[in-house]
Amino acid sequence: MPKFYTMCKKLHPDHGVLVPKKSGTTLKRLMLVTMMMSVVLAFPAFAAEGDFDVVTTLTASFESMAKTMLSTIAAVLPVALSVLSAYICIQFGIKFFKKFTK
């Protein structure tokens, strides 16, 4: 039987997924292995040949991200304001007519 099955207590009754044991050590080991694998798998992405300037690359990527965010906000803002103003007008209209009906 593989080690993962010994780290798990049983199958979940509803959907059949393995449920980890409640003991802290095996759960911590499983989480540690998962984190270590994610870190190790990320290192080849940072490997580069020749001259590689991290500051320039990060600055360019953050500037690009900021431009994208501002353009998204500029595209969404008119629609959001019109929907919000319609909602506020409807709420005031309901309150206005409720005053006269009482």
Side-chain angles (χ1 to χ4, degrees), residues 38-87:
S38 64
V39 168
V40 168
L41 291 174
F43 277 121
F46 297 119
E49 296 177 10
D51 237 2
F52 183 69
D53 189 16
V54 175
V55 175
T56 307
T57 305
L58 286 176
T59 304
S61 65
F62 280 120
E63 286 175 355
S64 170
M65 183 176 62
K67 287 179 186 176
T68 305
M69 289 172 63
L70 287 175
S71 66
T72 303
I73 290 171
V76 170
L77 191 62
V79 176
L81 285 177
S82 62
V83 169
L84 183 64
S85 63
Y87 176 75

Side-chain angles (χ1 to χ4, degrees), residues 12-30:
H12 193 276
D14 293 336
H15 43 74
V17 176
L18 292 172
V19 178
K21 289 181 180 178
K22 296 296 181 189
S23 69
T25 56
T26 55
L27 191 58
K28 286 179 185 175
R29 283 184 196 166
L30 185 62

